[in-house]
Amino acid sequence: MAANFWSSTQKLYWQFSKTEIQEMRQQLESDEAAISQQYPLPDRRLLSIFFNQQLVKLGKRMSVRQQALATAQVYVRRFYIKVDVRDTNPYLILATALYLACKMEESPQYIRVVVSEARNMWPDFIPSDVSKLGECEFILISEMNSQLILHHPYRTLQELQGRLSLSQDDISLAWSIINDHYLTDLPLLVAPHVVAIAAIFLALTLKPNQGSQQGHSSTATTLANVAQARKENLQARVNPGNSSQDRVEHFVKWLAEGEVDIKAVVDSTQELISLYDVWEQYSEKTCKEQISRFVKARGLDK
């Protein structure tokens, strides 16, 4: 494993700008223009929610650890910026990504167990022949150029707990927010420590049920104050709302005095808020129907 993120294949080959990701996806769409028009898909974030929920359900059946689930989600996201969803059986891709992730995270599962559990969940889409999953694993590894080792934000979160005097409730909420970031493009856009810091910020400044525009505005204003404080070398002043005054001020002071990319934290925060906003439109039934339509029609379940 690379000693740190900065010298890893994750940083060197799997970090992109938003423009680069958009161009890759547009190229996939244009290459499959007729198929794209014939089989429209939900908003990509809604599809990510569906994939995540399916992976979590499969993982629970096999008692898979969270880090392996996280790795599987990154594998799926990487794969689908290089291959159009409509050219695949997403259920087989999900099962294969989890199988591969478990091996990479040193908690391997028997291939027959994975196939059996996946068939119990998606009987109409997973073939009983285990060699199909083995073939899919080869394709997945090939599309990722055998660059499979990942760094996750969880370690940074744990390292900062004592330094920032975070409560267990803060850590639990930030951990959940980190889990949610895998439903966005953030794993392909920013370093893991940036995600951890954005998650801590949201955990400190937003209550779990706080989804109003007022809450979003307060978050953006606080981050703007941090950037200004660093620029002027002054202590930031924030309005923490219902969060703990001391912990928020401690965090903001630490952030203002450090070398963290504030713009990246701002962008990550807004990306997560955007995810929570669109989540209200999520319909599992719609995602299932649209996926089933192209998988069955194109014979991708064979």
Side-chain angles (χ1 to χ4, degrees), residues 272-289:
L272 286 161
I273 289 173
S274 174
L275 170 68
Y276 296 139
D277 283 341
V278 79
W279 208 311
E280 298 175 3
Q281 305 168 25
Y282 174 68
S283 166
E284 180 176 330
K285 181 174 180 290
T286 299
C287 290
K288 278 184 176 179
E289 289 175 349

Side-chain angles (χ1 to χ4, degrees), residues 53 148 248 284:
Q53 291 183 351
L148 306 176
V248 173
E284 180 176 330

Side-chain angles (χ1 to χ4, degrees), residues 20 28 31 38 64 116 122 128 130 133 145 182 192 220 222 276:
E20 288 173 330
L28 289 177
D31 289 345
Q38 187 175 1
V64 173
S116 175
W122 313 303
S128 58
V130 296
L133 192 143
N145 302 317
Y182 292 105
T222 304
Y276 296 139

Side-chain angles (χ1 to χ4, degrees), residues 13-190:
Y13 304 108
W14 291 99
Q15 291 280 283
F16 309 98
S17 67
K18 286 187 177 181
T19 301
E20 288 173 330
I21 292 176
Q22 183 179 12
E23 288 175 350
M24 285 187 280
R25 285 174 174 154
Q26 287 177 343
Q27 185 63 49
L28 289 177
E29 291 279 342
S30 62
D31 289 345
E32 301 279 357
I35 299 296
S36 298
Q37 292 178 1
Q38 187 175 1
Y39 303 108
L41 293 174
D43 181 288
R44 185 169 289 104
R45 291 166 297 181
L46 299 178
L47 203 58
S48 293
I49 294 171
F50 177 75
F51 287 163
N52 167 262
Q53 291 183 351
Q54 299 305 303
L55 270 174
V56 169
K57 289 177 183 177
L58 181 58
K60 283 182 177 179
R61 299 177 73 99
M62 299 182 292
S63 301
V64 173
R65 294 185 294 113
Q66 175 57 42
Q67 184 145 321
L69 281 169
T71 295
Q73 289 181 82
V74 177
Y75 288 171
V76 171
R77 189 159 295 275
R78 286 182 176 184
F79 182 76
Y80 279 136
I81 64 167
K82 300 186 74 175
V83 178
D84 189 82
V85 176
R86 303 170 189 85
D87 287 337
T88 71
N89 175 350
Y91 297 103
L92 183 59
I93 296 296
L94 293 178
T96 305
L98 188 58
Y99 171 67
L100 178 59
C102 286
K103 289 202 288 189
M104 293 305 300
E105 296 297 342
E106 300 180 349
S107 55
Q109 298 281 340
Y110 289 109
I111 190 170
R112 292 187 181 278
V113 172
V114 176
V115 171
S116 175
E117 295 296 347
R119 278 181 58 78
N120 286 335
M121 283 190 60
W122 313 303
D124 295 334
F125 299 97
I126 301 295
S128 58
D129 184 358
V130 296
S131 68
K132 295 294 184 181
L133 192 143
E135 292 170 7
C136 190
E137 180 188 17
F138 177 79
I139 294 170
L140 207 62
I141 292 171
S142 178
E143 290 294 345
M144 291 189 289
N145 302 317
S146 301
Q147 295 157 349
L148 306 176
I149 295 174
L150 297 179
H151 294 260
H152 292 284
Y154 303 111
R155 178 178 296 179
T156 300
L157 177 62
Q158 293 169 333
E159 291 173 349
L160 292 177
Q161 181 175 10
R163 188 183 305 179
L164 298 177
S165 303
L166 301 174
S167 70
Q168 191 54 50
D169 285 345
D170 296 333
I171 290 295
S172 296
L173 181 53
W175 189 283
S176 295
I177 293 170
I178 288 174
N179 291 347
D180 291 343
H181 102 280
Y182 292 105
L183 282 66
T184 72
D185 286 332
L186 288 176
L188 304 179
L189 293 170
V190 299

Side-chain angles (χ1 to χ4, degrees), residues 206-217 273 276-277 280:
L206 297 178
K207 294 296 183 183
N209 62 350
Q210 197 172 10
S212 66
Q213 186 63 38
Q214 180 180 0
H216 298 171
S217 176
I273 289 173
Y276 296 139
D277 283 341
E280 298 175 3

